[in-house]
Amino acid sequence: MRRLLRVLLLLVLVAVLALGAGSAYLIRRPFPQISGTATVAGLKAPVEVIRDRWGIPHIYAQNPHDLFFAQGYVHAQDRLWQMDLSRRLAAGRLSEIFGPVALEADRLMRVLGLRRAAEAAWAAAASAAGAPEAAAAIEAVQAYSAGVNAFIESRRDRLPLEFLLLRFQPEPWTPVDSLSFGKLMAWVLGGTWRTELLRAGLAIRFGDEGMRTLFPTQVPGTPTITAGGIPSIALPPGLPFASLLAGSPGAGSNNWVVAPSRSTSGALLANDIHLDVQMPSIWYENHLVGGPYDVIGASFPGVPSVVAGHNRHIAWGLTNVNPDVQDLYVERFHPRDPDRYFYQGQWVRATVVREEIRIKGRPEPEVVVVRVTRHGPVLNPAVRGLGAFMALRWTAHDPDRILQAVLALDRAANWAEFREALREWSVPSQNFVFADRTGNIGFIAPGRIPIRPPGVDGRLPVPGWTGTFEWQGYIPHEELPTLFNPPGGVIVTANNRVAPPSYPYHLGEDFDVGFRALRITSRLEETARLSLDDFAAIQQDVTSLPARRFVAAWQDVRIDDADRAALFNEVKQWDGQVTAESRPALLYEVLLLRLAHVVFKDALDQDLFRRYLRQGDAPLLVLLEMSGRPDDPWWGEGRDRVIEQALRQTVRELEAALGDDRSAWRWGRIHTPTLLHPLGRQRGLGWIFNAVPPEMGGDGFTVNAAGFDPEEPYRTAVAPSYRQLIDTKDWSSARAIHPTGQSGLPFSRHYRDFVAMWAKGDYHPLLFTRDAILAAQEGTLRLLPP
């Protein structure tokens, strides 16, 4: 079927191109109207959309309904295909357009029930519509959906190219579609259940002590965000009471803020969010002005609001906390009745959901029977090799009001309102940093984080039938970690450990090991008074602290072969700068991956090794610790001989990939950040849909993150998906960038125009004042009610 789909796509493309001048019309007809007027049913009053030269829309409306209606309309103008793809992914409906190739992903989404969870959240929101904040959120998402649908209906005959090639029409947008995206992001940014399985596999093979040895969680000397102990939970004097805001290998993010005492201006904020790089970008920048809103920054196509950015009063950024909000429960099902499971001495009937997956090219749907216990859906129909029936308990399955939280955040004017806005934040838990016009800085580690029984830490799957491992509520939002105006005037987060051992609640163990946080902190300490230019330089930093530690530990390694010894000496003399031009960086990165294979592959079965290698931090930390112990039993025949074996494989691999001319060997030649579109994976279509940035440096442990999947070395998989730098004293100096361009329409001038800028570390200005926006306008569209 995949070959047939490929042939059909190519035939359609050839037919389009064969039309000559007509092909230009077919390519350009989905382009949005950006100037003049358009009459749009559903508006209450005129709306003005000014697009600046970078394709960023600045939306001016007279009321919140029209503001979010217009945001939905504009999102659909530029990213309708991406929006449709995202809701299909969350709902498990990709097979309807792609065929059997997407069936595995659909099956997982149907079992997880992200769409079911979004429907439950929408029902809960509707039942609470009497509260003003809930009513505002409901109105916003309904207006947004109406705006998307108004655009769809006006462009049925001029849809994006992907709809033409795959031959389907988008369905009407609904509020549940928007809420589903939040559930999808929670899934992307969480994954502790996978770590539970990995730990269990290691414990079965090596015992509990061996598992802990192979799974270190932090490097001594790396920072904890609230390292000085958890500050007082009470708000600063004079402020009213408010409460707290509650994947892929190498994924992570950075953010930091400095107070005016440490800056050349006001309070400064930096944020770079590390996610899978893709085409088009996951982010869409926009400016929303209307009613109580005047906010600019990054949004998700498909969701009303701005997620990271600033308004007239405050700025904020976010990184993933990754607390342990997922637990696996081993369930016992009745031997003769698969719909009943055992719990506290009784057979209890599970909720049974029959999911039908329609598959393009097949006459009959695939039926997936999902059983949901008191702990959550049983994963076995979608996850192979579990060895027992396992149900997933996950906070994202519970109804939430996260959209209400984000919209209140967009309106917040100070620290108290910022905290209060995020009272309803649930999952994915985020490290929020805050800065305001008056010079305050702050940090909140948010989320709905479970409290487990004493002695239960959530590291391993637990029996579901005893009732002794049930969650006992959630950490009160008043007691979640927070900082406000710390004495040093600096707050740094980089997915590292949030709280010290003295913190009274267990947040989890799957935090970043802390190398990026340590590097950022040390760079900030180099300069007494910091500027946004200093922040920009830090965001581009490609110094690998683990590389420097490996180099130090390898100084006494002796390689017998003279040729390989000469190459290894380059690594031993290297400064740890993972630049695209560096040959030592290339040797180090490939050697480290080969070394992991040599040391661990034979000791673990194929599946366990694959999952261990993808975990990223653990094997690197174990190898780093072992490198200082030449006779560690894991080395087998000895450290130096194993390193030489891995080095021999490294040279062989590089000669095959880059040729015998070693003067041309450099990290950037194999470390390529191709930005892939789903259709761009089809041979012959990449030139239309994909983008290839210039060579880039970095790895999964540098501040300028560029992690790669070890199963697909060494293509960049994770990178800064959005960068922003903000000076709260001067909004006009704010700057931002994401990897691709504002448009999701191939051949648009804004489809790839950010790629080279992003790769080089450049930014575009984040225009905020109307005069500056008008001076840089590309077009102004007036949307008028009938």
Side-chain angles (χ1 to χ4, degrees):
M1 184 62 196
R2 181 183 296 182
R3 179 176 296 178
L4 176 60
L5 176 60
R6 186 178 301 160
V7 170
L8 288 173
L9 290 174
L10 289 175
L11 287 175
V12 171
L13 177 63
V14 169
V16 169
L17 295 178
L19 292 175
S23 65
Y25 167 73
L26 291 174
I27 289 169
R28 294 184 59 84
R29 68 177 186 168
F31 287 6
Q33 179 185 356
I34 65 170
S35 299
T37 62
T39 300
V40 184
L43 286 174
K44 297 179 179 179
V47 174
E48 191 175 38
V49 180
I50 307 172
R51 292 177 184 259
D52 64 30
R53 56 175 293 199
W54 296 277
I56 297 167
H58 304 261
I59 304 173
Y60 293 85
Q62 299 178 32
N63 57 75
H65 172 277
D66 287 353
L67 182 66
F68 294 112
F69 182 103
Q71 188 186 23
Y73 189 92
V74 169
H75 274 178
Q77 278 188 306
D78 284 331
R79 300 288 189 91
L80 180 60
W81 154 254
Q82 181 186 31
M83 293 163 62
D84 189 84
L85 188 71
S86 295
R87 67 170 166 179
R88 285 183 176 277
L89 175 57
R93 295 183 58 194
L94 294 176
S95 297
E96 295 177 12
I97 59 173
F98 289 117
V101 67
L103 186 54
E104 185 175 359
D106 282 351
R107 193 180 294 120
L108 177 62
M109 291 298 106
R110 296 298 183 99
V111 170
L112 287 174
L114 301 189
R115 179 80 182 187
R116 297 193 298 271
E119 290 169 347
W122 179 241
S127 67
E133 293 290 337
I138 289 173
E139 180 188 23
V141 72
Q142 288 177 327
Y144 180 92
S145 300
V148 175
N149 291 330
F151 175 77
I152 291 174
E153 289 307 312
S154 70
R155 307 283 287 199
R156 284 286 181 189
D157 60 340
R158 291 173 289 170
L159 292 170
L161 184 59
E162 294 92 337
F163 292 102
L164 174 65
L165 294 177
L166 292 172
R167 295 180 298 173
F168 77 100
Q169 291 264 326
E171 298 170 359
W173 195 265
T174 71
V176 173
D177 294 328
S178 294
L179 299 184
S180 294
F181 188 86
K183 302 295 183 182
L184 180 62
M185 287 306 301
W187 177 254
V188 169
L189 293 174
T192 56
W193 72 276
R194 297 187 186 92
T195 311
E196 284 187 35
L197 289 176
L198 176 56
R199 287 195 185 100
L202 294 173
I204 290 170
R205 187 169 291 266
F206 302 108
D208 186 66
E209 182 179 354
M211 177 270 289
R212 293 179 184 274
T213 298
L214 289 171
F215 220 100
T217 58
Q218 191 174 19
V219 177
T222 54
T224 297
I225 297 172
T226 55
I230 301 303
S232 173
I233 300 302
L235 285 169
L239 292 178
F241 176 81
S243 65
L244 294 172
L245 159 72
S248 298
S253 303
N254 310 313
N255 63 22
W256 61 92
V257 283
V258 303
S261 62
R262 291 294 315 278
S263 87
T264 59
S265 182
L268 307 182
L269 180 146
N271 191 193
D272 51 287
I273 302 169
H274 307 163
L275 293 169
D276 291 352
V277 287
Q278 60 186 41
M279 201 74 195
S281 166
I282 193 171
W283 299 103
Y284 182 88
E285 296 177 64
N286 49 207
H287 182 189
L288 306 177
V289 186
Y293 298 94
D294 188 354
V295 57
I296 189 170
S299 68
F300 287 124
V303 184
S305 72
V306 167
V307 178
H310 75 82
N311 59 30
R312 296 180 194 140
H313 310 285
I314 70 169
W316 68 94
L318 56 156
T319 70
N320 198 30
V321 177
N322 200 32
D324 191 354
V325 298
Q326 296 176 329
D327 276 346
L328 289 174
Y329 288 81
V330 181
E331 305 286 24
R332 287 180 176 173
F333 278 86
H334 195 283
R336 293 182 300 278
D337 185 351
D339 294 342
R340 287 193 291 165
Y341 66 99
F342 196 68
Y343 183 73
Q344 291 188 324
Q346 300 181 38
W347 293 105
V348 181
R349 189 160 298 279
T351 299
V352 180
V353 181
R354 187 178 186 274
E355 295 278 359
E356 291 190 358
I357 304 174
R358 289 184 288 136
I359 306 165
K360 186 175 183 177
R362 293 186 181 177
E364 298 296 328
E366 173 168 313
V367 176
V368 179
V369 177
V370 184
R371 293 176 173 85
V372 183
T373 72
R374 63 181 290 114
H375 302 119
V378 177
L379 299 180
N380 297 68
V383 181
R384 294 186 293 270
L386 290 178
F389 290 112
M390 291 196 184
L392 176 65
R393 179 75 172 98
W394 181 27
T395 53
H397 283 136
D398 301 333
D400 60 52
R401 299 187 182 97
I402 195 166
L403 182 58
Q404 175 179 321
V406 178
L407 292 171
L409 169 65
D410 287 350
R411 303 188 301 267
N414 53 47
W415 172 247
E417 291 182 11
F418 178 77
R419 291 178 55 158
E420 182 63 24
L422 293 164
R423 175 184 291 272
E424 297 295 343
W425 191 278
S426 52
V427 62
S429 183
Q430 299 289 290
N431 294 305
F432 277 85
V433 292
F434 162 96
D436 69 18
R437 292 278 288 176
T438 59
N440 296 305
I441 63 172
F443 158 80
I444 301 173
R448 185 185 290 164
I449 302 170
I451 299 173
R452 295 173 176 84
V456 179
D457 59 15
R459 293 189 184 205
L460 297 169
V462 295
W465 56 86
T466 65
T468 59
F469 296 93
E470 305 303 311
W471 292 356
Q472 300 178 344
Y474 301 102
I475 298 176
H477 55 260
E478 293 86 0
E479 299 179 37
L480 289 162
T482 183
L483 287 171
F484 185 75
N485 288 337
V490 176
I491 302 172
V492 175
T493 94
N495 314 115
N496 51 313
R497 189 172 293 275
V498 175
S502 59
Y503 184 63
Y505 298 101
H506 181 72
L507 297 174
E509 294 296 333
D510 297 321
F511 304 106
D512 183 87
V513 293
F515 285 122
R516 283 181 288 110
L518 181 60
R519 179 61 179 169
I520 294 166
T521 302
S522 65
R523 286 293 304 269
L524 292 172
E525 291 173 351
E526 293 172 0
T527 306
R529 294 277 186 169
L530 295 145
S531 67
L532 289 188
D533 288 340
D534 295 320
F535 279 21
I538 296 172
Q539 286 189 337
Q540 293 302 308
D541 190 283
V542 290
T543 300
S544 171
L545 295 187
R548 287 184 170 180
R549 297 190 184 197
F550 272 108
V551 167
W554 287 344
Q555 289 303 305
D556 62 343
V557 172
R558 296 293 176 261
I559 304 298
D560 291 339
D561 180 85
D563 179 61
R564 291 192 287 271
L567 289 174
F568 191 62
N569 283 336
E570 291 186 34
V571 177
K572 291 164 69 173
Q573 297 167 16
W574 175 48
D575 62 1
Q577 297 287 322
V578 189
T579 64
E581 301 77 21
S582 173
R583 182 164 73 175
L586 170 71
L587 295 169
Y588 161 79
E589 297 288 354
V590 180
L591 172 61
L592 203 60
L593 183 57
R594 290 301 107 212
L595 199 58
H597 279 78
V598 172
V599 172
F600 300 118
K601 188 171 185 178
D602 289 342
L604 309 175
D605 62 52
Q606 182 176 352
D607 180 64
L608 191 59
F609 173 71
R610 180 184 63 83
R611 290 188 284 125
Y612 185 59
L613 199 59
R614 285 181 60 84
Q615 200 280 333
D617 290 358
L620 177 132
L621 294 183
V622 173
L623 289 173
L624 181 56
E625 183 72 17
M626 288 169 51
S627 290
R629 300 194 302 266
D631 298 321
D632 189 291
W634 273 95
W635 288 120
E637 58 187 290
R639 179 194 65 181
D640 294 8
R641 299 289 66 80
V642 172
I643 290 178
E644 183 159 13
Q645 179 185 351
L647 187 60
R648 181 168 58 250
Q649 295 179 9
T650 297
V651 173
R652 188 182 306 127
E653 180 179 344
L654 291 176
E655 286 176 342
L658 302 178
D660 296 333
D661 181 7
R662 296 182 180 179
S663 66
W665 288 8
R666 61 181 184 273
W667 177 228
R669 285 193 63 191
I670 65 172
H671 184 58
T672 53
T674 303
L675 300 166
L676 294 176
H677 183 286
L679 296 189
R681 299 173 187 271
Q682 300 294 330
R683 186 175 302 170
L685 297 183
W687 70 275
I688 294 176
F689 292 107
N690 298 340
V692 181
E695 293 180 359
M696 294 174 60
D699 65 12
F701 296 91
T702 56
V703 176
N704 188 11
F708 62 85
D709 187 336
E711 295 184 88
E712 194 180 353
Y714 296 87
R715 185 184 68 81
T716 303
V718 172
S721 66
Y722 177 67
R723 296 187 183 108
Q724 66 176 11
L725 302 173
I726 301 171
D727 179 352
T728 59
K729 193 174 181 179
D730 180 14
W731 298 130
S732 64
S733 66
R735 57 190 92 161
I737 196 74
H738 60 80
T740 63
Q742 285 287 97
S743 178
L745 302 170
F747 306 106
S748 165
R749 62 176 296 186
H750 295 302
Y751 186 64
R752 296 183 178 93
D753 57 331
F754 286 171
V755 173
M757 295 170 59
W758 169 79
K760 291 188 298 182
D762 291 339
Y763 306 80
H764 65 78
L766 204 57
L767 304 178
F768 193 59
T769 66
R770 187 173 176 89
D771 287 345
I773 293 162
L774 290 173
Q777 70 173 310
E778 184 177 80
T780 297
L781 175 65
R782 286 179 57 81
L783 301 176
L784 305 176

